[in-house]
Amino acid sequence: VTIEPHRGAFVHGVDDGWVRDPYEILGGLYGLAAARAAVRGTADERALLERIHDELRAADDVDGFDAANHALLQHLLAMARAPRVVTAMRAITSIVPGNFFAEVPATIEPQRAGIAQTVQCVLASDATGAQRALGALVEGHGVAVAQQLRARGVLTDEEA
């Protein structure tokens, strides 16, 4: 709903862009954070990143996976030392409330693979690779959410 002064309230439909745009924005921001972490992270922070990644790899239930994923991303953001990136991320609201991986289970294995690639790049101080890997991963989640909403009848092909 958009409210325009002296004109009224307007209801806009949910379309593919409405679903995917936030993920593309977040992909850019997370990618930037991963790039910064790759060049700014200390040896101790890299070691902790590896330990948290081990927890993510070992997670065998959706709640444990979500918790380990959250911890890893929070640590990556801390390694980035980029407070403006974090502030920009807070402005993006989630389309999927609650445990993202419980609601969109098709994203768990891509998350495992994309995080593994991101961590490998961060540990190798490959800022470009880390940025691409994490950015593409998050943008891919937007595609998965759009597919799930299409399957539930919320999005139709006409709106895509």
Side-chain angles (χ1 to χ4, degrees):
V1 174
T2 303
I3 299 174
E4 294 183 21
H6 309 292
R7 293 196 60 218
F10 301 90
V11 177
H12 303 279
V14 176
D15 64 11
D16 197 66
W18 181 87
V19 173
R20 293 177 60 178
D21 288 352
Y23 290 96
E24 290 183 22
I25 294 166
L26 282 173
L29 292 170
Y30 269 115
L32 180 60
R36 297 295 187 265
V39 296
R40 295 178 178 168
T42 66
D44 288 343
E45 289 171 327
R46 291 169 193 273
L48 180 54
L49 181 67
E50 285 185 284
R51 286 194 299 276
I52 298 169
H53 185 226
D54 288 343
E55 292 173 18
L56 181 75
R57 284 193 296 237
D60 59 359
D61 66 282
V62 76
D63 291 329
F65 184 84
D66 183 60
N69 182 72
H70 181 75
L72 189 142
L73 292 175
Q74 290 303 305
H75 182 63
L76 199 65
L77 291 172
M79 288 176 69
R81 292 177 188 73
R84 283 171 285 215
V85 172
V86 174
T87 298
M89 287 176 158
R90 287 188 189 123
I92 309 298
T93 57
S94 177
I95 292 171
V96 178
N99 182 332
F100 178 83
F101 302 104
E103 297 299 324
V104 192
T107 58
I108 292 175
E109 291 312 314
Q111 186 75 9
R112 282 187 202 276
I115 289 294
Q117 185 179 6
T118 302
V119 168
Q120 181 180 8
C121 290
V122 169
L123 295 176
S125 300
D126 176 3
T128 301
Q131 185 167 9
R132 285 184 186 146
L134 194 52
L137 174 63
V138 175
E139 288 180 28
H141 288 335
V143 173
V145 170
Q147 289 172 342
Q148 182 148 341
L149 291 175
R150 238 183 240 101
R152 292 181 180 178
V154 175
L155 289 180
T156 63
D157 289 333
E158 295 87 48
E159 296 169 310

